[in-house]
Amino acid sequence: MPEKEGSCVGLNEPRLVVRKFLARPQPEGVGAVVRRSIGRLELRYFDPFLVLDEFSVTTPAGFPDHPHRGFETVTYMLQGAVKHEDFDGHKGTIGAGDLQWMTAGRGIVHSEMPAAQGTQKGLQLWINLSSKYKMIEPRYQEISSKDIAEATKDGIKVRVIAGEALGTKSAVYTRTPTMYLDFTLEPGAHLQQPIPESWNAFVYVLEGEGIFGRSKSSPVNAHHLLLLGSGDGLEAWNKSSKLLRFILVGGEPLCEPLVQFGPFVMNTQEEIDRTINDFENYTNGFEKARHWRSESGLTLDF
């Protein structure tokens, strides 16, 4: 099958795949199932990324009331819809193709529950925040599917969640500099996507099978995470007869100490102890949690 030409400027040093993981299903939340690739035993942290989950949830399962502090959660829906609700009165529905970029900052308590019949599927990425941003006020960036920047060229379609690809930029502001690109390659397509050389980057395959790094590498199929080595970009090929879909995510490493206790991510154990105290005593950002319960009425233990 003839290859289609590359989609952007050539790369001087394409990144190679240095580690590969298969994300297997595991229980999470209340009756939900996730495939966790970052944040698992073999890969606790890939600076600045704390967790990557491919989640699947069907009513009455879900992710009821739970807190966060010190990082951002990025929810990108692939199928169905999830209802979001927090202790500050912010609520809404994240539908298929929609994006929610939530900066937990000093503290949020929220719930994420199915908003439709059948199975809801999506991705949730946790991005660490620098120490100077860990205690900022919470904020949301929410973009509906129709408003996510897209570009198409030479058999390649990209949805630009964050960063830039094929000359198209996302409007999302990233405190921790981040790129998040959802690529679909037609059979025969060949991608060359620049990545800042100082950033860490990974690929997660959603559908089909692709070749990454070297043209003679073995194909990689769905639910695999690929950690990329050093270089100035990613080279990928679809040599199969079906569509290939994957996300490419990169971020600038924070290179700071990290202490994590479940949904709390800080720089020192003292800060974690203080966070637990704040949460248990409804202080310093968690005041509104004292009398708040989501419509689900459930609380998630952590």
Side-chain angles (χ1 to χ4, degrees), residues 22 33 56 85 92 95 108 112 123 181 198 203 208 234 259 265 273 287 299:
L22 173 62
V33 175
S56 178
E85 185 181 357
I108 276 181
E112 301 150 298
L123 299 171
L181 308 173
S198 62
V203 164
L234 170 70
V259 181
V265 181
D273 294 342
E287 290 84 353
T299 300

Side-chain angles (χ1 to χ4, degrees), residues 5-208:
E5 288 301 311
S7 60
C8 51
V9 296
L11 303 175
N12 293 321
E13 187 186 357
R15 294 180 179 228
L16 302 181
V17 176
V18 294
R19 295 181 74 183
K20 179 174 76 170
F21 301 93
L22 173 62
R24 293 184 170 87
Q26 66 182 60
E28 187 71 17
V30 176
V33 175
V34 303
R35 291 178 180 267
R36 178 162 296 169
S37 49
I38 300 175
R40 57 196 270 173
L41 184 62
E42 304 94 326
L43 186 62
R44 287 296 191 191
Y45 183 48
F46 187 51
D47 194 1
F49 306 111
L50 297 153
V51 167
L52 177 65
D53 282 345
E54 179 184 3
F55 63 84
S56 178
V57 58
T58 305
T59 303
F63 305 96
D65 306 7
H66 60 281
H68 294 295
R69 173 182 277 182
F71 61 100
E72 299 183 299
T73 69
V74 182
T75 304
Y76 182 43
M77 291 301 297
L78 303 174
Q79 172 185 309
V82 166
K83 180 179 180 181
H84 172 269
E85 185 181 357
D86 78 9
F87 69 176
D88 199 33
H90 186 95
K91 61 175 64 177
T93 300
I94 313 169
D98 293 351
L99 170 75
Q100 182 193 75
W101 198 293
M102 183 184 82
T103 303
R106 67 199 299 254
I108 276 181
V109 179
H110 73 155
S111 69
E112 301 150 298
M113 301 296 288
Q117 296 300 311
T119 301
Q120 330 303 315
K121 295 183 178 181
L123 299 171
Q124 188 166 92
L125 176 70
W126 293 11
I127 306 174
N128 199 8
L129 286 169
S130 172
S131 57
K132 63 184 176 183
Y133 294 134
K134 285 190 176 296
M135 294 297 287
I136 62 175
E137 291 297 319
R139 71 181 295 244
Y140 291 90
Q141 298 175 83
E142 294 173 315
I143 304 179
S144 64
S145 181
K146 65 180 178 61
D147 294 326
I148 289 178
E150 293 187 0
T152 304
K153 184 179 180 182
D154 296 333
I156 298 169
K157 175 185 174 182
V158 63
R159 307 191 82 220
V160 186
I161 308 302
E164 180 178 0
L166 302 187
T168 299
K169 293 183 180 180
S170 167
V172 169
Y173 173 68
T174 61
R175 277 191 170 76
T176 301
T178 304
M179 62 188 301
Y180 189 146
L181 308 173
D182 174 5
F183 283 107
T184 300
L185 274 60
E186 294 178 3
H190 172 208
L191 169 72
Q192 292 180 302
Q193 170 62 39
I195 303 168
E197 291 194 46
S198 62
W199 289 17
N200 284 331
F202 66 85
V203 164
Y204 187 77
V205 182
L206 295 171
E207 178 185 343

